[in-house]
Amino acid sequence: MRFPSFLLGNLYFVLLGSSGKTRYIKGMRPFVLDPLFRSVTSLPGIGARMGKTYERLTGSAKIRDLLFHGPVDLIDRRRVYPVAELRPGVTATLKLIVDLHTPPARRGQPYRVRCHDETGQITLVFFRASGEWIQKQLSPGAEVGVSGRIEFYQAQAQMAHPDVIVPAGEIKTIATLEPVYPLTQGLTNKALRKAMDYALKLLPDLPEWQDAAFRDRQGWPGWREAVRNLHTPQDGADLLPMGGGRARLAYDELLAGQLALGLVRLRQKKKNGRAMPAGRGDGDLRARLIAALPYRLTGAQERALAEIDRDMAEQLKMLRLLQGDVGSGKTIVAALAMLTAVENGHQAAMMAPTEILARQHAEGLKPLLEPLGLRVVVLSGRHKGKEREVLLRQIESGAAQIVIGTHALFQEGITFADLGLAVIDEQHRFGVHQRLSLSSKGKWADVLVMTATPIPRTLTLTAYGDMDVSKLDEKPPGRKPVDTRLIAQDHLAELVAALGRRIQDGARIYWVCPLVEESEKLDLAAAQERYLALRDHFGAERVGLVHGRMKAPEKDEVMAKFQAGEIDVLVATTVIEVGVDVPEASVMVIEHAERFGLAQLHQLRGRVGRGAAQSYCFLLYHSPLGKTARERLDIMRKSEDGFLIAEKDLELRGGGEILGTKQSGLPQFRLADPEIHGDLLAAARDDARLILDRDPDLKSPRGEALRILLYLFEQDQAIRYLGSG
Ligand code: ADP
Ligand code: MG
């Protein structure tokens, strides 16, 4: 059972007393943060229903997230205008004496109240308002303060529905700078401001976690001040990403992220390391494998391998990212690293995101590894009962030296005799923490993550922290560039006719149907419809369909047919994204290409251009294409450089959407924007490194404050690593 956190907070308050210093219990959020983690429904005037509205707005019902919800605009009501100086369109505060009420004579007419000051007359206009209410607010003869937008009607100043009306004595309370917030249905700016006022009163005073000298140089306020500044912008500059407390808050968020990554990594790296020098053992398996390859390693592959060798030879645990475009030859590099683990007497494992990919890795690696006398075990979701038992025993006894399977399989209870290296082929399907914690399978295991996601540098930092990176920036020789063309959907018939001729020449074709409106059902319907149409055209036995809802064996059967050339056209939802290798496939058709992220298009296109034949990629789009959409697709036409494509995509679309998909594993930020705050991100990374060099367990006073920062941003995963061993 779980206690409400505020109860626990109070309990510990009693136990520990208030010593002035922030105290906390190991593994528990310090109670000083509790007000921020309460629900907005604990604020006056917010019920369960309104709570849901806030949740929709800020992504959570926590008061913290309300406080991180900054204004986007500003209304200046500070100046009390004389009526004679009013101009149309200004938002003005006025001090007026109420003269004459004119209720509507007929339905549909407004209620009018004439007022004046020393300089002139103005009419306040109300549509569909209760006369009683108006008479109460504006009794004739009274002096009032009002604020609202000025209009002119027949040369007469008017204000329709003043935003606020108060007795003249309280005019100071309305002559303010009013922040304007992004809203959602069912929420007014006024209501939100009221809630925010309550929330701001709850702001705790937190110890400073930033480096004092750095903060001074930046001219930033303390945390509490920064949150207040966020909600009290003084001018337009305060609304910009670097203004009014925003830069500091963004930095805090980035620092929390970098620190969390650093902590996870530090623990993974520092603890449990062991040395696995390359080329140890009797057979020198590696030399034999390299000799057996029908090609020579590229310079980039050699370089990456040397970096991996150096890491593995060290006493520390390796945590390295092998980044390279689709087709850059990551698999063989990983295989060679696995051999190092085996030569050192340990096991090695390779995990893939899908069943198909795991099979493919197995099919590629078995013929290379088994001739070396190694036992390679492939563990699949399809192995059940006895068969599975036998495989698991081989893994547990150490008889299996190399194990290949899906991520899911590894997360279930498999025990290795002695795992030395875990290779994770992630294909951008994986979250950071998941990725980092996977290797806990083998306490000692080195970790090599393979990714084809061409993440730009700044984003690599946010996703992987300062994980070591090896890049395969050179493709194996002999690849012809893929001829990429943009084709309007209206020309579909011509395309199909042309493809018919290609098929007669032996080409195999991928035909990708996109996600339709995020709905798997509609998505499937579109693919099925295209499948039927193409069957009509090319012949029923020549066209296959794979989609996410098919069972693995069915899927594999169709894939196998395509691989073997028994079918020529493979219609697919984006399942083929995860890297099936069919060198004979030379044509890629992508429908509704404008709906895909560029990184995704790039990955898909990488499926062709692997064989000897000239390859083509046809990007079908629906007219008319907007300017940005056109530019984005043009980039695809002009470039095959994944890193360049990713940078351009980022430029055109902004950070949040870089991969066009939420499952990208990139963290989502509330306050920071890695693109805009790129410099801050780099500074946060350096800061985090320095902190962890000096105080790896966060025990110093600044370290204690930094723990609070981690809790503030819910980096619980990282906190668990603190002081736990
Ligand atoms: P990815 O980086 O996408 O995982 P793979 O490892 O699947 O790429 O390699 C793609 C293809 O390139 C494979 O068929 C592989 O045998 C081949 N390959 C890998 N390295 C080289 C090389 N140095 N020279 C020629 N072909 C290579
Ligand atoms: Mg691969």
Side-chain angles (χ1 to χ4, degrees):
M1 116 147 225
R2 279 197 52 179
F3 288 95
S5 61
F6 67 90
L7 267 185
L8 284 178
N10 289 342
L11 183 62
Y12 284 108
F13 191 85
V14 173
L15 287 178
L16 298 173
S18 158
S19 65
K21 192 175 169 228
T22 308
R23 310 279 292 270
Y24 62 93
I25 301 282
K26 187 172 150 182
M28 242 189 73
R29 189 171 64 221
F31 64 78
V32 64
L33 290 176
D34 281 354
L36 300 176
F37 283 86
R38 263 174 235 156
S39 164
V40 287
T41 54
S42 68
L43 298 173
I46 300 182
R49 182 126 159 241
M50 207 47 169
K52 286 264 175 287
T53 306
Y54 278 96
E55 204 171 323
R56 205 164 60 233
L57 181 69
T58 68
S60 98
K62 297 184 189 92
I63 288 177
R64 177 197 65 176
D65 295 305
L66 174 62
L67 284 164
F68 287 167
H69 185 70
V72 288
D73 204 353
L74 196 56
I75 300 175
D76 191 348
R77 302 188 193 278
R78 282 174 300 186
R79 179 152 177 238
V80 180
Y81 280 79
V83 170
E85 278 182 34
L86 291 175
R87 296 284 167 271
V90 301
T91 297
T93 300
L94 308 168
K95 196 172 181 182
L96 302 171
I97 292 169
V98 181
D99 298 321
L100 183 69
H101 283 242
T102 314
R106 284 193 311 272
R107 265 173 74 96
Q109 282 189 335
Y111 193 116
R112 299 166 172 277
V113 182
R114 208 181 66 212
C115 307
H116 77 274
D117 69 5
E118 294 108 65
T119 68
Q121 283 193 350
I122 181 166
T123 306
L124 308 182
V125 184
F126 300 85
F127 293 89
R128 275 175 309 199
S130 124
E132 207 178 315
W133 178 83
I134 297 171
Q135 280 152 25
K136 207 163 130 208
Q137 301 288 313
L138 300 164
S139 60
E143 200 179 7
V144 296
V146 299
S147 187
R149 200 180 138 85
I150 302 298
E151 288 149 30
F152 273 72
Y153 182 70
Q154 296 179 343
Q156 258 279 306
Q158 286 195 352
M159 183 186 289
H161 296 273
D163 299 329
V164 274
I165 305 173
V166 294
E170 293 169 27
I171 199 160
K172 275 224 160 59
T173 64
I174 63 167
T176 57
L177 269 174
E178 184 179 312
V180 179
Y181 292 92
L183 297 170
T184 184
Q185 204 184 358
L187 189 64
T188 64
N189 201 53
K190 196 169 160 190
L192 189 135
R193 286 187 61 213
K194 203 166 136 209
M196 197 68 81
D197 279 345
Y198 284 121
L200 284 166
K201 288 203 182 79
L202 297 175
L203 272 183
D205 195 8
L206 302 178
E208 183 55 80
W209 48 71
Q210 289 194 7
D211 176 63
F214 174 72
R215 198 190 106 183
D216 282 352
R217 255 197 328 277
Q218 301 288 341
W220 288 342
W223 180 78
R224 182 154 70 164
E225 202 54 35
V227 178
R228 283 194 188 131
N229 290 354
L230 175 66
H231 298 288
T232 49
Q234 297 303 305
D235 53 37
D238 285 349
L239 298 168
L240 299 176
M242 290 303 281
R246 282 167 200 254
R248 178 197 159 120
L249 296 175
Y251 184 82
D252 287 343
E253 181 169 40
L254 293 167
L255 180 61
Q258 292 299 304
L259 199 58
L261 286 165
L263 278 169
V264 175
R265 178 170 188 268
L266 190 70
R267 201 187 100 109
Q268 299 252 353
K269 254 201 128 151
K270 256 181 87 175
K271 309 273 158 82
N272 312 331
R274 69 179 160 195
M276 292 184 277
R280 178 187 276 183
D282 43 0
D284 199 3
L285 300 170
R286 240 163 82 160
R288 282 166 58 202
L289 175 54
I290 292 176
L293 289 176
Y295 50 78
R296 291 183 47 169
L297 295 181
T298 63
Q301 284 171 321
E302 302 262 14
R303 280 191 296 279
L305 202 56
E307 286 161 357
I308 292 167
D309 285 350
R310 218 168 352 171
D311 278 6
M312 289 183 72
E314 269 191 69
Q315 196 71 49
L316 302 175
K317 191 156 156 174
M318 171 170 78
L319 198 54
R320 184 170 281 278
L321 188 65
L322 179 61
Q323 209 178 23
D325 249 350
V326 168
S328 60
K330 295 183 288 295
T331 319
I332 191 66
V333 174
L336 291 165
M338 288 165 89
L339 288 186
T340 302
V342 173
E343 281 170 344
N344 280 274
H346 313 300
Q347 292 165 297
M350 184 178 280
M351 329 180 180
T354 65
E355 195 79 36
I356 295 184
L357 250 192
R359 298 240 128 229
Q360 185 150 32
H361 278 317
E363 276 157 30
L365 292 176
K366 268 188 162 177
L368 294 174
L369 301 177
E370 282 178 346
L372 304 174
L374 301 183
R375 170 88 61 98
V376 181
V377 159
V378 184
L379 197 56
S380 142
R382 262 173 286 159
H383 295 128
K384 298 256 151 53
K386 264 248 135 53
E387 203 185 356
R388 187 177 158 89
E389 290 278 292
V390 171
L391 294 176
L392 288 183
R393 240 193 329 271
Q394 289 176 352
I395 298 171
E396 206 170 330
S397 71
Q401 289 149 305
I402 306 265
V403 184
I404 301 171
T406 64
H407 298 146
L409 284 170
F410 283 90
Q411 278 160 334
E412 290 161 19
I414 299 182
T415 319
F416 285 86
D418 176 19
L419 184 62
L421 172 68
V423 177
I424 303 170
D425 188 5
E426 69 151 18
Q427 307 275 1
H428 78 70
R429 284 286 157 124
F430 240 31
V432 186
H433 289 311
Q434 236 180 326
R435 172 188 304 134
L436 293 176
S437 60
L438 241 187
S439 67
S440 60
K441 268 283 162 258
K443 280 207 305 205
W444 300 87
D446 280 353
V447 176
L448 181 67
V449 178
M450 301 195 284
T451 179
T453 310
I455 308 173
R457 220 193 66 79
T458 50
L459 293 181
T460 315
L461 275 180
T462 67
Y464 301 96
D466 54 355
M467 194 166 172
D468 301 304
V469 178
S470 294
K471 249 183 210 174
L472 295 183
D473 49 9
E474 176 187 349
K475 285 206 178 162
R479 290 207 185 175
K480 296 196 189 113
V482 179
D483 185 341
T484 301
R485 302 182 187 190
L486 310 188
I487 298 184
Q489 187 81 25
D490 317 337
H491 298 296
L492 184 69
E494 286 119 289
L495 176 64
V496 170
L499 290 180
R501 290 191 293 276
R502 297 236 159 256
I503 289 176
Q504 268 157 23
D505 295 342
R508 258 172 261 167
I509 300 172
Y510 286 112
W511 192 295
V512 177
C513 298
L515 218 69
V516 182
E517 301 177 17
E518 305 283 318
S519 149
E520 212 182 322
K521 236 188 192 157
L522 293 175
D523 178 16
L524 189 55
Q528 260 157 352
E529 190 184 321
R530 181 62 67 220
Y531 165 66
L532 293 177
L534 291 175
R535 272 164 61 115
D536 278 351
H537 195 90
F538 295 125
E541 68 289 356
R542 308 307 303 170
V543 184
L545 171 69
V546 284
H547 56 77
R549 288 211 174 166
M550 283 162 86
K551 294 228 164 61
E554 292 173 78
K555 227 189 286 189
D556 287 8
E557 197 188 314
V558 181
M559 292 299 313
K561 275 191 179 165
F562 186 61
Q563 233 160 352
E566 287 164 33
I567 52 177
D568 306 310
V569 183
L570 183 68
V571 179
T573 54
T574 47
V575 287
I576 58 160
E577 185 193 336
V578 286
V580 194
D581 203 5
V582 183
E584 295 82 4
S586 59
V587 179
M588 169 70 64
V589 180
I590 304 174
E591 288 198 57
H592 264 302
E594 75 278 6
R595 289 189 183 163
F596 287 86
L598 286 193
Q600 220 177 351
L601 288 177
H602 178 67
Q603 304 253 337
L604 286 169
R605 182 173 58 184
R607 301 289 120 225
V608 298
R610 299 184 151 207
Q614 171 65 52
S615 293
Y616 296 87
C617 176
F618 298 106
L619 302 176
L620 291 176
Y621 63 87
H622 280 239
S623 311
L625 266 187
K627 183 164 165 287
T628 310
R630 158 72 64 178
E631 280 179 55
R632 294 177 64 241
L633 292 183
D634 264 339
I635 294 168
M636 289 304 298
R637 203 168 49 75
K638 289 187 196 137
S639 174
E640 274 195 77
D641 177 341
F643 289 93
L644 181 113
I645 289 171
E647 300 283 356
K648 291 275 185 203
D649 199 20
L650 186 63
E651 228 172 86
L652 287 172
R653 297 212 300 173
E657 277 189 291
I658 174 71
L659 298 169
T661 147
K662 285 238 165 66
Q663 351 138 342
S664 63
L666 289 178
Q668 311 277 317
F669 291 99
R670 290 162 200 286
L671 300 158
D673 178 337
E675 199 190 359
I676 294 169
H677 297 121
D679 292 347
L680 294 185
L681 178 59
R685 180 206 42 190
D686 295 345
D687 200 3
R689 262 194 205 158
L690 214 63
I691 291 163
L692 293 176
D693 274 351
R694 290 186 189 153
D695 180 18
D697 293 316
L698 301 186
K699 289 228 160 93
S700 67
R702 187 182 176 205
E704 300 245 329
L706 284 161
R707 287 176 184 235
I708 294 179
L709 172 70
L710 288 172
Y711 276 107
L712 177 62
F713 285 100
E714 290 180 290
Q715 297 286 359
D716 303 29
Q717 178 98 10
I719 290 166
R720 265 197 270 129
Y721 287 125
L722 273 175
S724 62

